[in-house]
């Protein structure tokens, strides 16, 4: 079987390939094709990926192409991992918002809105190509804002799209490690939307332990995702939070920390990526592929070290020197995607957190609403768990963000400035008509209007 990666010049592609090497034969994967509009960057990423394959002495076929149709044609699985406008647009998204006193994070609020406006039209074009050249392929969307974008693709009639995110699986991994159990011995049930979800059940070897975890301050402080929240709030809700809820529950803290740091995460990532690519371009990658890989891994370490540290004020982890770095195995979006492919090939299946259509999972939402929830993935399909009851404070936030998503999609479809303003006015991280109007105007100015945002 064939995997196509649209956005193959993304730096996470190398880690994706390394994770795939441990599992490709069991998953019946024969080849991976990379495609990206950034051809020079793709050449560098392709060389790194091929070195990862060769150093493990594997026979996985891997190459890059300059024609998206060539990548897509005959693919069984397609990953979409784009950053439309590049790192510089992410910086614009964040800066415009911050100048107006609003959080501009790329998946929530104003930043997520601007990115969605640029991204949805591009992904719709790729989906139309996929419909023509690989109609039976499953599309795994990792492009941010993942939940909103996945909703847009489903709303346009592309039903074989699964939104994936590595936040829930990473949280579960750290929880299992802290509780000294294997991943298979721990059941963690999520519900909500992408980057707006809660854990409503934690079972250790079949026994429900969520209440005792909520009561354990030591456990809450030990897990990075939970340590940034006020324990009293978590106990009052009765659930454990997705870390991105920090922007909603501690909005003023996140905004103040970003201002104090003097740099947004987007600006930090842009600087890291520029330095990494400059160093790699100056190297003889063919003559010293392992040295190039160590350079790449060092800068990836810098990227990961900055994750949520600016907004939360958390201390950064100590750095490991070049020459001592290992390629991560299977974590991140690669692990989620490969787990999903594995589940699709098994009778008994496995539980995974995915963004899919609701289909009666969360009461009160429409069946076509894309949610992020725990699903049983097997040969019989992808079945979301049934969430019988949702506390009103969680439910209202889910409904509000879902309506914001739908208005954003409608604004993109109709190129309507008025609908765009309505969408941002509703979002809790904006919550102001006058601010929403200024945000839309300034994003229009930065990108030459919604029609030119891409």
């Amino acid at each position: 079987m064939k995997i196509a990666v649209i956005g193959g010049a993304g730096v996470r592609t190398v880690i994706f390939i390394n994770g795939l090497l441990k599992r490709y034969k069991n998953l019946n994967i024969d080849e991976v094709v990379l495609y990206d509009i950034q051809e020079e960057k793709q050449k560098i990423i392709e060389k790194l990926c091929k070195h990862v394959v060769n150093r493990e002495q594997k026979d996985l076929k891997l190459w890059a192409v300059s024609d998206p149709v060539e990548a897509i044609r005959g693919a069984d699985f397609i990953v979409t991992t784009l950053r439309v406008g590049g790192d510089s647009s992410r910086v614009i998204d964040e800066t415009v918002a911050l100048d107006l006193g609003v959080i501009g994070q790329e998946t929530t609020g104003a930043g997520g809105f601007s990115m969605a406006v640029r991204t949805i039209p591009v992904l719709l074009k790729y989906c139309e190509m996929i419909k023509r050249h690989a109609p039976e392929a499953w599309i795994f969307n990792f492009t941010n804002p993942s939940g909103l974008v996945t909703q847009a693709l489903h709303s346009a009639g592309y039903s074989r799209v699964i939104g994936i995110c590595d936040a829930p699986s990473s949280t579960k991994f750290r929880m299992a490690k802290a509780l000294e159990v294997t991943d298979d011995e721990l059941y963690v049930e999520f519900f909500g939307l992408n980057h707006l979800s809660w854990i409503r059940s934690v079972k250790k070897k079949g026994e429900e332990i969520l209440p005792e975890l909520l009561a354990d301050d030591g456990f809450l402080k030990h897990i990075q995702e939970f340590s940034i929240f006020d324990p009293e709030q978590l106990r009052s809700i009765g659930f454990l939070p997705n870390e991105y809820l920090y922007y909603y529950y501690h909005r003023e803290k996140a905004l103040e920390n970003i201002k104090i740091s003097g740099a947004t995460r987007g600006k930090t990532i842009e600087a890291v990526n520029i330095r990494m690519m400059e160093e790699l371009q100056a190297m003889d990658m063919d003559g010293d592929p392992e040295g190039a890989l160590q350079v790449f891994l060092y800068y990836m370490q810098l990227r990961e070290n900055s994750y949520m540290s600016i907004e939360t004020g958390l201390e950064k982890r100590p750095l490991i020197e070049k020459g001592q770095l290992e390629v991560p195995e299977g974590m991140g979006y690669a692990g989620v995607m490969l787990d999903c492919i594995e589940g699709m090939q098994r009778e008994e299946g496995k539980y995974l957190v995915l963004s899919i259509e609701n289909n009666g999972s969360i009461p009160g939402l429409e069946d076509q609403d894309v949610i992020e929830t725990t699903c049983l993935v097997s040969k019989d399909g992808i079945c979301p768990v049934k969430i019988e009851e949702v506390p009103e404070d969680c439910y209202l936030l889910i409904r509000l963000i879902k309506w914001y998503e739908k208005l954003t999609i409608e604004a993109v479809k109709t190129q309507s400035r008025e609908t765009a303003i309505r969408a941002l006015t509703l979002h809790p991280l904006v919550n102001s008509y006058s601010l929403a109007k200024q945000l839309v105007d300034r994003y229009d100015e930065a990108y030459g209007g919604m029609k030119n945002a891409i």
Side-chain angles (χ1 to χ4, degrees):
M1 291 194 291
K2 172 182 174 181
I3 294 177
V5 182
I6 307 299
V11 293
R12 291 194 180 190
T13 303
V14 180
I15 298 171
F16 166 66
I17 295 300
N18 191 62
L20 180 58
L21 290 179
K22 307 298 184 291
R23 308 169 66 177
Y24 72 104
K25 288 191 179 294
N26 289 337
L27 298 178
N28 302 305
I29 303 298
D30 305 301
E31 55 185 311
V32 179
V33 182
L34 311 180
Y35 167 76
D36 203 293
I37 61 172
Q38 301 179 77
E39 293 191 16
E40 288 304 312
K41 186 179 178 182
Q42 181 169 265
K43 289 178 183 177
I44 291 174
I45 297 300
E46 180 188 12
K47 287 183 178 180
L48 291 170
C49 289
K50 285 185 174 180
H51 174 60
V52 167
V53 173
N54 292 335
R55 78 204 287 254
E56 296 293 330
Q57 299 181 327
K58 301 296 184 180
D59 61 354
L60 177 70
K61 298 176 183 177
L62 181 145
W63 72 98
V65 297
S66 58
D67 178 7
V69 173
E70 185 179 351
I72 290 166
R73 186 181 290 116
D76 300 279
F77 305 103
I78 298 170
V79 184
T80 54
T81 173
L82 310 179
R83 183 172 296 284
V84 179
D87 292 331
S88 59
S89 287
R90 180 177 183 177
V91 175
I92 291 171
D93 294 346
E94 294 175 341
T95 304
V96 165
L98 284 174
D99 286 346
L100 292 171
V102 176
I103 293 171
Q105 201 274 338
E106 69 167 337
T107 63
T108 59
F113 165 84
S114 181
M115 188 170 185
V117 169
R118 294 195 309 279
T119 302
I120 291 170
V122 175
L123 272 177
L124 287 174
K125 291 177 183 177
Y126 282 122
C127 281
E128 191 58 30
M129 291 183 198
I130 294 167
K131 182 179 179 180
R132 292 198 302 270
H133 301 288
E136 298 303 311
W138 281 100
I139 302 170
F140 292 93
N141 177 56
F142 188 64
T143 300
N144 278 325
S146 179
L148 199 168
V149 168
T150 302
Q151 179 70 70
L153 300 183
H154 274 270
S155 297
Y158 300 104
S159 59
R160 294 176 72 84
V161 181
I162 301 168
I164 55 176
C165 178
D166 51 3
S169 60
S170 297
T171 299
K172 182 186 175 184
F173 173 81
R174 280 186 272 274
M175 291 173 67
K177 186 175 180 180
L179 295 169
E180 299 180 335
V181 294
T182 66
D183 191 69
D184 290 337
E185 292 174 323
L186 192 68
Y187 175 79
V188 182
E189 186 174 294
F190 289 79
F191 77 97
L193 308 178
N194 178 242
H195 288 184
L196 191 91
S197 61
W198 296 264
I199 296 171
R200 67 188 294 268
S201 175
V202 181
K203 293 180 180 177
K204 178 181 175 181
K205 299 181 179 180
E207 179 184 353
E208 182 62 58
I209 60 170
L210 179 58
E212 63 186 78
L213 295 180
L214 285 166
D216 186 347
D217 282 355
F219 173 81
L220 297 177
K221 290 179 181 178
H222 182 71
I223 305 298
Q224 177 180 313
E225 291 89 333
F226 309 146
S227 67
I228 58 180
F229 294 92
D230 187 327
E232 292 182 8
Q233 183 193 23
L234 304 187
R235 286 190 275 268
S236 70
I237 298 171
F239 297 144
L240 291 169
N242 178 293
E243 61 195 320
Y244 283 84
L245 284 167
Y246 181 83
Y247 294 106
Y248 298 88
Y249 291 161
H250 298 290
R251 179 176 58 181
E252 78 292 347
K253 290 183 179 180
L255 186 58
E256 185 62 23
N257 286 333
I258 294 170
K259 290 179 177 178
I260 290 172
S261 74
T264 64
R265 175 164 165 79
K267 189 65 177 176
T268 302
I269 294 300
E270 181 184 45
V272 169
N273 284 346
I274 289 173
R275 288 162 54 197
M276 177 177 68
M277 296 309 296
E278 287 177 346
E279 191 165 339
L280 288 171
Q281 286 170 339
M283 295 183 69
D284 177 7
M285 293 185 64
D286 295 322
D288 185 15
E290 183 61 27
L293 181 61
Q294 285 297 314
V295 168
F296 165 81
L297 292 172
Y298 178 77
Y299 283 105
M300 284 299 292
Q301 179 185 211
L302 290 179
R303 282 175 57 104
E304 296 306 310
N305 211 15
S306 69
Y307 180 69
M308 291 292 286
S309 64
I310 292 173
E311 299 91 335
T312 63
L314 289 175
E315 292 185 7
K316 296 180 181 179
R317 297 179 293 277
L319 296 175
I320 301 172
E321 292 300 318
K322 297 173 188 174
Q324 304 174 36
L325 291 154
E326 295 292 333
V327 187
E329 295 183 9
M331 289 295 291
Y333 82 86
V336 180
M337 174 188 171
L338 298 177
D339 283 343
C340 192
I341 294 175
E342 180 183 339
M344 289 174 169
Q345 299 178 10
R346 287 169 49 174
E347 292 287 350
E348 67 276 17
K350 60 195 310 177
Y351 285 100
L352 300 170
V353 180
L354 304 169
S355 287
I356 61 165
E357 289 189 339
N358 182 47
N359 287 326
S361 174
I362 297 179
L365 296 183
E366 295 181 5
D367 284 346
Q368 295 75 31
D369 287 343
V370 171
I371 62 171
E372 181 179 84
T373 191
T374 298
C375 306
L376 179 60
V377 182
S378 70
K379 280 187 173 180
D380 294 329
I382 302 174
C383 183
V385 299
K386 297 295 182 182
I387 310 298
E388 296 178 357
E389 184 178 357
V390 178
E392 194 69 12
D393 53 354
C394 299
Y395 180 65
L396 290 173
L397 191 52
I398 291 171
R399 286 289 304 274
L400 183 58
I401 296 302
K402 180 52 64 178
W403 186 238
Y404 148 78
E405 290 182 356
K406 290 180 177 180
L407 286 174
T408 300
I409 294 166
E410 182 64 22
V412 173
K413 181 179 179 180
T414 61
Q415 300 295 315
S416 169
R417 175 176 176 273
E418 291 74 17
T419 306
I421 293 171
R422 282 182 62 202
L424 280 176
T425 299
L426 283 176
H427 200 289
L429 298 184
V430 178
N431 196 29
S432 163
Y433 175 82
S434 55
L435 280 176
K437 191 174 181 181
Q438 291 182 77
L439 285 163
V440 170
D441 287 345
R442 293 197 185 185
Y443 285 133
D444 277 355
E445 182 181 351
Y447 296 110
M450 290 186 69
K451 291 182 180 180
N452 298 316
I454 63 172

